[in-house]
Amino acid sequence: MVVPIAYYLVLSAILFSIGVAAFLIKRNIISIFMSIELMLNAVNLTFVAFAHQWHQVSGQIFVFFVMVVAAAEAAVGLAIIIAIFRTRNTLDVDHVDLMKL
Amino acid sequence: MLNDSILSTITFVPTVGAIVVALLPRRGKLIQWFTLLISLLTFALTLHLPAHFQYGQTGFQFEENHPWITSPNIHYHLGIDGISLWLVVLVGFLGPMAVLASWKVIETHTKEFYFLFLLQQTAMIGVFVSLDMFLYYGFWELSLVPMAILIAMFGRNRGPQAAIKFFLYTFLPSALLLVGLIWLYAKTGTFDFVETQQYLSQNSGSIAPQALWWVSLAFLVAFAVKVPVFPLHGWLSDVFSEAPTAMAMVVAGKLGLYSIIRFNLGLFPSQSREVAPLMIALAVIGILYGALIALVQQDMKRFIAFSTIGHLSFCTLGIFCFTIVGLNGTVYQLLNHELSGAAMLILFGILYERYGTYDMGLYGGVATRLPRMATLYLITMLSLIGLPILNGFVGEFLILSSTFGVHPYWGAAATLGVILSAAYMLGMIQKIFYGQPSQLVANKTVPDVVAREGFALVPAVILMLVLGVASPYWIRAISGAVSGLAQNVAHATATFTTTVAEKR
Amino acid sequence: MTDTPQVFRILPEVILTVVGVLIMLAEPLLAKNASRKPLGWLAVLGTLAALAASFWQLQLPAGTAFYGTVQTDAFSVFFHVLIAGIVLATLLVTLDAADPDAENLGELFALTCFSAVGMMLMTSGVELLLVFIGLEISSISTYIMAGFRKRSAKGPESSIKYFLLGSFATAFFLYGIALIFGATGTTAIPAVAGLLTTSQTPLLATIGAAMVLIGLGFKVSAVPFQVWTPDVYEGAPSPVVGLMSTAPKAAAFAVLLRILYVALPALHSHWQPLIWWMAALSMTFGNLGALRQQNVKRMLAYSSIAHAGYLLVAFTALSPDGIAAASFYALSYATMNVGIFAVFSHAGGMGDRLTLVQDYRGLAYRSPLLGGALAFFLISLIGIPFTGGFFGKFYVFAAALHSGMVWLTIIGLVNSGIACYYYLRLLVSSYSKPVHSDLLDGIPPVTAPLLFALLITVATTLILGIVPGRVLALAKAGANTLSPSTSVSPDITASQQ
Amino acid sequence: MTSSLHLWLIPLVPFAGFLVNGLLGRRFPKALVTTVALIATLIPFVQVANIALHFSSLTLPYTEQVATWITAGNFHADFAFALDQLTLIMLLVVTGVGFLIHIYSVGYMAEEEGYWRFFAYLNLFMFFMLTLVLAENFLLMFVGWEGVGLASYLLIGFYLTKDSAANAGKKAFVVNRIGDFGFLLAMFLLIAHFGTLSFSEVFNQVAQHPEWQGGFLTAIALFLILGATGKSAQIPLYVWLPDAMEGPTPVSALIHAATMVTAGVYMVVRTHVIFDRSPFALSTIAVIGTATALFAATIGLVQTDIKRVLAYSTVSQLGYMFLACGVAAYSSGIFHLLTHAFFKALLFLSAGSVIHALSGEQDMRVMGGLRKKIPITFWTMTMAVFAISGFPPFAGFFSKDEILYQAFISPNGLGKILWFIGLFTAGLTSFYMFRLWYLTFFGESRAQATTAHDDHGHGHGHGVHESSWVMLTPLVILAILSGIGGWVGVPEAMGGHAEIAHFLSPVTGAAHEAAEGRSMELLLAAVSVTVAVIGWFIAHLMYFAKPALPAQLASKVRGLYSLLLNKYWVDELYGAVVVAPLLLISRYVLKGLFDTGVITGGGMAIGYSAQGLGALVQRVQSGNIRSYAGWLALGAAALLLLTYVGFGTHLLFR
């Protein structure tokens, strides 16, 4: 039995939406960062599904690159988060609102 | 030989001067002398124009036309006709006057002042000589910048606010003007004034009248603000009261009125015809309104601002009567007003230099102390209120008589301005010069008009008389240009009404 | 393609990468208190070389390399030159403004080079994968650069905001690519257009286009994705703001142009209205938001939102003229904005020395050169003729009007009228008589790098304003490579109703 | 006579005098100023006299075109001068009386500061006045018309430090401008209907179109009347003239009695071709003239300032001239203009001599008993008083009588009423002139206590003294002219030849002759002499025989007295009805409410609302990352939704 492509797509769309929602709801910067990872992986799922559908490896290659980029982002992101923690002693994103209007 | 490049030369001599000024050391009066020299040179060059002008020829002269930018199709196209001829000379004439008027007032940051002043000269001359509308728009906008900065730098106390107000007032409508220009370009494929004019007159059917109407309105509003036409005059009194004399002299009137004549009448004759009733009403209101407020002003600068609104409204009135006489009168009145108004501003300026206030109420009895100044004030005042054999009369008379011929009631109402202008001007003279010397005047010993001021003002005063008695010399050039325009408008009415009739 | 060694197609990127790596390697070798200026000069030299290489690429026949992922053509060269120019000016400004022995200054120089690499790849990439990677390279570099002042509270905040929101938006961009891939089965930009016509699921592509628009809209800070801009600009050091308000935007616009005009012209009836609205809203939001702004950097941030709107107007024209206008606008905006941030950088340093509009009061009196330059750039931003800003606006709106976008043009030009208020406020402030001159006393004397940077920006702005013909011709050449036979030919007569 | 009379020299020589004295006079010695000014006036006089001597050999009307002034489109105006009989009379009056008054001024102004300025202004006045009468077209006439107003303004305000003088000068100019407004409108109408402003062309066109009656000609005429009432101080614009007495006395004599104020009459006569076509306009003039004559005379009854009495008398006499014009007896009007120039100039100059003698005192209540002290002035004044009161054979008798007679025989239905009012006014004239005469010269001097002077700048000693001969000579000459000046117009009924009427007839047309003939004319003359005598008698009674009577009378009819004394409160009325509301509206409604409120406020409102929107936009920037992400998500959602739903709406905006 072949699982229809739509299932994958819907799943990844749901995952993506969960990522978005988590971004909006979570207060801890690390959690927010994780939700971004979730969004990226939802996209990865889409890529893989389409790659399978089109029988094109380029989609899967894309996924690898996305993972690499996500890793790089994670490195930089954590560094920034550390800098934030150093200046504020908190990771509550709601307290990072010095600049406004 | 010179004829081929005279307009460019006139336009850019001040720019070159400005660059040199920027490089000159700030030492003594070096910058002043140099700027004076440049402005005199510019004036001398402008005199080449009337000397070699082919009177009686229609169309533009001294033309220069080179491609500037190929896409869009923009040309460096200069040329003058009888209307712009005298305006260019006028700018040249006012230049040295303005420098002399600023000689002592501008003590600090002379380099900035004279740099921007010369840039302003280029921009104004450029407006009058440009026949490519894009180029024209460039100079038009450019003329805002030195003005705004100078007002901000040298304002009395609310300079920055006045500068911003001035800029906003003129820039916002100019944005719409730009829309109109680009729209026209999209239709005609050219920015050239002459070509656009031909295109519009020959292909009037191919362009939606509605759209053309909006475009003409965009043009008109942009120009009317600059004149300013009532009720768009909100910036004028602030600018006048803040701007240094040399800038206030040139800020109002000629750019806007010239543009209305050149573009609104030249490109959109039938639309101008349509809007004429409104403009005539606004002009008449402006005449009376300016005069009535001037009647109760105590501050000299605001006084002259409202008097300016009144005087310039005469020009607006003359334009929208579409008669040859009226247009002649308008251009003539424009020259007159710029001359006499500038002289009056300088006079207020030199009084301010002496006594340190623009409040008329503090003055009194100056005539016995400064008789020469009183004389200059008197003559300038008489010129402004249109005393016959001085310049103001000729223009006013032509405008009013032609208005009366077309719109008797508006003409009569406008003529009431003659009474009011006498009332407020004489009131001003009385407050400042007559009576016992006020405390301010009595306690301060000041010199009468000095040679430098004399050099600035006496030529102007003589010119007032000459313009008053020898008008044909000027009008023969103007007439050639405006009669074509007037016919253009008259002709356009016919075609427009027929197309409207066909539509119905 | 056979004649040209593949590496030539990415020569500028290679040069900058090497220079960046060299700087990174060299920095730890320097003593703690040693001046970092030589590193900066090295970066400058590298950028100059990259600039030269970009120009040189113009000699190459247009073509692709590395399995059709990179393409050099007039369009890419135009943007390469633009990015290299911005980076050059930014480096010079940084050399002028930064404390020469700041310990992480070398990083900044290196990151500047790396971000340039990323942006350049974005403009020459014709494979969505490469575009994505370029985008990430440039983004990650700029995330770090924004937080350069890591000891201050604002630096990391700026950085985290940019980082989190940027990643958030990137996810959308990526999703969009995935959907386009899903609709067509390819991520090669030129191939998409052809395959789209036979696609079974064009809806996927449509939504993908919208997603791409979201991602890139964030990068160019177009409404409704503009929220991050003021905060990030405020917290970042001025030279970096000069860079990130211009170069990444230019690159993102280039990508957008490529994707929309090369890959998705068939969907123009879908994306054109989106862009219409984004343009109108960006212009209006940006300008209105700037009106009350007292902080100059935030003001310029709002202004950059508005300018993104102006630029998007050109997209709606659907014509080579529009593409050329957009390219030209990106260039003219870059020159004046980098220029004005050069002035801010010198006056305010890397930190917050002069932040408010009234702090600049009397600048022109204190330093006529800085005041004059500030005035000049502001005039250009306002859009006064004989400056690049004017011609940029002019071309954009001319293109839009040519395509019958009357209302958008009117909205745009009215906006430029409103905008003049806040620019003018700063201009007038700098020309008003000074009140608290102790602030201005802190301004160091003008240095050679700054002069050089100002010279570049002023001259370019003037050239663009007075003789824009050559530059425009280049932009047009670029535009033609993008849509050789006006693949999107808007029906002008139909749209004029 | 040569072909060219060089008429242009007549006005231009005084102008040259003005320029020389005006530019350089400050540095000139007084004698040089005097020489320049007098020569600049004498030359035109000689030239005019010369023309007069050769007048019969000229072909009239003679015109001289000097240059084109304005030419635009189809409008054209020249500097063109014309000479005919009417002009000649005016020229003689202006140059003759003008020259005499110049001489007089040399003495009168000798001690004044700004001597040079005074003569410069006087010459300027001569220039404009001569332009006015020589002009061949309306526009050039208007030059003179406005110009004399300017000269008048400058001379009224001659005492720079005196606020009242400055006010009076301004008032004169502004009120005159109201008249000029009428003149301008008349010219606009002329241009609209005739296409030209040349007198000869306009009049020819009118002559060629006998069917033109009333209509636009009435409109033109009415506007011209408005102009004339301004310049000639008629109701409703007379208010400036009494105030104009703030100027030095020679100015009052020259400008505000002999010449300038008669310009209105001259203008009406000059353009009578138009008026002849409009019975309504004529009646209007007649009514205005008569009303003014009576009105001003009643005010004159109670004034105490010697110059003000004369001023109201001038207004009143000008009313007579208007009456003459109104009944189409133009030559009679000019005749009265001529004689009036003599005797009113004389009155003012004599009054000046009195004032001079009293070191600046003008209040008749503190005069008295001067007959012995300044006998020559007394006698010249006496001549003038008799002349103006209409006693034969003095000049005023013939001219005034002529006017009354013409009114009486006028075909106009109002003629008889006008005649009666005129007659009554003649009695009043006689009364107030003799009142002046008695108060000034008879009785005891009332000056001892009160003439510790307010400083009018006449820095003479305190002794009452006769003026110098330079002042007295013009008085004597004018006295002779007041005596015999009327003989040029002795009507045929009295055995004369009415030379002036015949002389003017080519210009004005023949005068009316009544059916009743000469006996009627004699009878009317007798009646008016009687009335004059009655006036004299009452004055004698009240101010000579029973000096207490006036005060009793005044207290009896206090209301009427105060009405007259306050000049019917007309100034106050104008102030309250016209000036004050205008200023109030300008200050509070236009400036305060509209300009500050609507124009400035409107601009600010737009500015603030834009800023308010800006504040709203800024609200989005909360600084909170999660809210930013919310906006991003919302934007993304909106975008996706729009993509999905489609875009019918956007087409609206293209």
Side-chain angles (χ1 to χ4, degrees), chain C residues 121-161:
Chain C
L121 281 178
M122 285 164 80
T123 62
S124 57
V126 288
E127 160 67 47
L128 287 170
L129 174 62
L130 188 64
V131 169
F132 171 70
I133 291 171
L135 181 70
E136 281 300 313
I137 294 175
S138 80
S139 297
I140 292 174
S141 314
T142 40
Y143 297 153
I144 305 170
M145 285 157 71
F148 175 76
R149 296 182 296 149
K150 56 188 177 190
R151 306 258 183 274
S152 83
K154 281 183 177 177
E157 179 174 336
S158 159
S159 194
I160 193 83
K161 278 180 174 167

Side-chain angles (χ1 to χ4, degrees), chain D residues 330-352:
Chain D
Y330 305 111
S331 60
S332 315
I334 294 298
F335 184 26
H336 196 57
L337 187 159
L338 178 71
T339 58
H340 177 256
F342 297 147
F343 62 68
K344 188 50 66 63
L346 178 56
L347 279 169
F348 268 112
L349 295 187
S350 301

Side-chain angles (χ1 to χ4, degrees), chain D residues 166-430:
Chain D
N167 279 328
K170 186 175 77 173
K171 184 172 175 184
F173 198 93
V174 173
V175 171
N176 264 303
R177 272 259 161 157
I178 299 175
D180 297 346
F181 166 74
F183 199 129
L184 279 171
L185 290 190
M187 283 199 284
F188 300 156
L189 274 171
L190 285 164
I191 294 172
H193 287 282
F194 295 94
T196 176
L197 288 177
S198 158
F199 288 137
S200 56
E201 289 174 37
V202 169
F203 300 154
N204 280 339
Q205 284 191 41
V206 175
Q208 283 160 18
H209 294 275
E211 73 278 12
W212 288 350
Q213 295 287 341
F216 73 92
L217 289 176
T218 299
I220 293 171
L222 288 176
F223 282 128
L224 286 176
I225 292 171
L226 179 59
T229 56
K231 194 83 3 185
S232 290
Q234 298 295 293
I235 291 173
L237 299 180
Y238 71 93
V239 286
W240 64 272
L241 186 57
D243 289 8
M245 297 303 128
E246 292 290 343
T249 307
V251 172
S252 311
L254 176 61
I255 300 184
H256 306 122
T259 54
M260 183 188 89
V261 288
T262 62
V265 179
Y266 166 75
M267 187 259 276
V268 172
V269 176
R270 170 61 69 205
T271 60
H272 73 93
V273 177
I274 295 170
F275 284 89
D276 283 340
R277 294 296 176 83
S278 174
F280 178 72
L282 279 178
S283 303
T284 310
I285 299 187
V287 170
I288 287 176
T290 315
T292 310
L294 175 64
F295 188 76
T298 53
I299 299 175
L301 295 177
V302 298
Q303 294 300 311
T304 54
D305 183 307
I306 187 166
K307 284 180 75 181
R308 285 202 175 239
V309 173
L310 294 179
Y312 280 105
S313 151
T314 305
V315 175
S316 176
Q317 295 298 312
L318 288 166
Y320 276 112
M321 296 176 214
F322 265 62
L323 169 59
C325 296
V327 295
Y330 305 111
S331 60
S332 315
I334 294 298
F335 184 26
H336 196 57
L337 187 159
L338 178 71
T339 58
H340 177 256
F342 297 147
F343 62 68
K344 188 50 66 63
L346 178 56
L347 279 169
F348 268 112
L349 295 187
S350 301
S353 183
V354 169
I355 295 165
H356 204 71
L358 296 176
S359 307
E361 185 54 63
Q362 300 193 9
D363 192 337
M364 294 192 295
R365 285 170 299 187
V366 295
M367 293 179 183
L370 292 175
R371 180 164 49 108
K372 296 276 168 46
K373 290 175 181 157
I374 44 173
I376 299 172
T377 305
F378 167 69
W379 281 112
T380 55
M381 181 73 116
T382 307
M383 289 285 279
V385 168
F386 276 89
I388 192 175
S389 305
F391 286 91
F394 297 103
F397 165 73
F398 295 106
S399 56
K400 189 190 286 181
D401 211 52
E402 178 77 14
I403 292 172
L404 290 176
Y405 170 65
Q406 291 288 347
F408 190 81
I409 63 169
S410 154
N412 191 320
L414 293 168
K416 302 286 189 292
I417 302 169
L418 297 176
W419 168 79
F420 181 76
I421 297 173
L423 188 67
F424 179 66
T425 306
L428 295 180
T429 310
S430 174

Side-chain angles (χ1 to χ4, degrees), chain B residues 158-222:
Chain B
R158 295 174 47 82
Q161 288 90 331
I164 290 176
K165 193 171 187 181
F166 165 72
F167 203 95
L168 278 177
Y169 251 98
T170 35
F171 190 78
L172 270 169
S174 296
L176 290 177
L177 169 65
L178 186 59
V179 179
L181 274 178
I182 301 175
W183 190 89
L184 270 185
Y185 174 74
K187 295 291 169 197
T188 63
T190 177
F191 278 112
D192 192 275
F193 171 75
V194 183
E195 288 173 19
T196 310
Q197 194 176 26
Q198 278 167 3
Y199 182 93
L200 288 178
S201 63
Q202 285 160 10
N203 305 315
S204 52
S206 68
I207 298 175
Q210 195 98 34
L212 213 54
W213 165 250
W214 285 110
V215 172
S216 80
L217 211 59
F219 275 64
L220 185 60
V221 171

Side-chain angles (χ1 to χ4, degrees), chain D residues 95-138:
Chain D
T95 54
V97 177
F99 181 61
L100 288 178
I101 292 174
H102 270 72
I103 294 175
Y104 176 90
S105 306
V106 173
Y108 189 84
M109 300 300 288
E111 304 297 323
E112 293 292 343
E113 211 176 302
Y115 183 80
W116 61 276
R117 199 157 51 88
F118 181 80
F119 279 100
Y121 292 164
L122 272 193
N123 277 351
L124 181 68
F125 169 77
M126 294 298 284
F127 161 65
F128 280 122
M129 191 68 207
L130 291 168
T131 307
L132 193 160
V133 296
L134 275 168
E136 201 282 322
N137 57 51
F138 283 94

Side-chain angles (χ1 to χ4, degrees), chain B residues 137-448:
Chain B
Y137 184 80
F139 285 120
W140 168 268
E141 293 277 86
L142 184 64
S143 72
L144 298 182
V145 177
M147 184 70 73
I149 296 181
L150 287 179
I151 292 171
M153 282 184 87
F154 298 94
R156 266 198 282 170
N157 34 34
R158 295 174 47 82
Q161 288 90 331
I164 290 176
K165 193 171 187 181
F166 165 72
F167 203 95
L168 278 177
Y169 251 98
T170 35
F171 190 78
L172 270 169
S174 296
L176 290 177
L177 169 65
L178 186 59
V179 179
L181 274 178
I182 301 175
W183 190 89
L184 270 185
Y185 174 74
K187 295 291 169 197
T188 63
T190 177
F191 278 112
D192 192 275
F193 171 75
V194 183
E195 288 173 19
T196 310
Q197 194 176 26
Q198 278 167 3
Y199 182 93
L200 288 178
S201 63
Q202 285 160 10
N203 305 315
S204 52
S206 68
I207 298 175
Q210 195 98 34
L212 213 54
W213 165 250
W214 285 110
V215 172
S216 80
L217 211 59
F219 275 64
L220 185 60
V221 171
F223 302 147
V225 167
K226 193 94 179 202
V227 174
V229 172
F230 174 91
L232 303 172
H233 62 270
W235 57 276
L236 189 70
S237 63
D238 286 353
V239 166
F240 263 43
S241 81
E242 295 299 332
T245 305
M247 288 294 114
M249 274 164 62
V250 296
V251 71
K254 54 183 181 290
L255 295 177
L257 286 165
Y258 163 80
S259 305
I260 292 180
I261 298 175
R262 171 72 77 233
F263 296 106
N264 276 87
L265 263 57
L267 296 180
F268 312 110
S270 50
Q271 286 77 8
S272 303
R273 194 98 211 173
E274 291 248 292
V275 83
L278 174 70
M279 294 306 289
I280 286 175
L282 289 179
V284 172
I285 294 171
I287 291 171
L288 300 178
Y289 181 83
L292 284 173
I293 294 193
L295 204 55
V296 294
Q297 279 292 356
Q298 281 294 310
D299 184 285
M300 292 180 200
K301 290 269 203 152
R302 290 187 187 273
F303 167 85
I304 189 80
F306 281 99
S307 123
T308 299
I309 293 171
H311 282 115
L312 293 172
S313 295
F314 275 108
C315 296
T316 316
L317 186 64
I319 292 174
F320 284 92
C321 288
F322 310 120
T323 61
I324 298 172
V325 177
L327 283 167
N328 270 312
T330 299
V331 179
Y332 206 65
Q333 172 74 355
L334 188 50
L335 299 176
N336 295 334
H337 176 77
E338 295 289 325
L339 177 70
S340 309
M344 196 45 117
L345 273 164
I346 293 181
L347 283 168
F348 282 145
I350 62 181
L351 204 57
Y352 178 79
E353 277 177 52
R354 282 163 174 70
Y355 292 107
T357 176
Y358 281 115
D359 185 351
M360 284 185 216
L362 297 177
Y363 285 91
V366 177
T368 49
R369 301 299 179 98
L370 311 174
R372 280 199 296 270
M373 191 182 298
T375 310
L376 291 173
Y377 262 90
L378 190 72
I379 299 174
T380 309
M381 179 276 282
L382 292 171
S383 148
L384 281 170
I385 66 175
L387 187 90
I389 78 159
L390 289 179
N391 54 353
F393 177 71
V394 179
E396 263 180 37
F397 184 82
L398 291 177
I399 291 170
L400 289 173
S401 69
S402 75
T403 309
F404 193 86
V406 193
H407 310 282
Y409 295 105
W410 287 119
T415 312
L416 282 173
V418 170
I419 302 172
L420 294 172
S421 72
Y424 68 74
M425 278 291 178
L426 293 180
M428 177 273 288
I429 292 284
Q430 185 187 351
K431 277 179 208 154
I432 298 177
F433 289 99
Y434 282 95
Q436 292 291 341
S438 69
Q439 208 178 351
L440 174 79
V441 176
N443 292 340
K444 207 162 176 181
T445 313
V446 297
D448 203 344

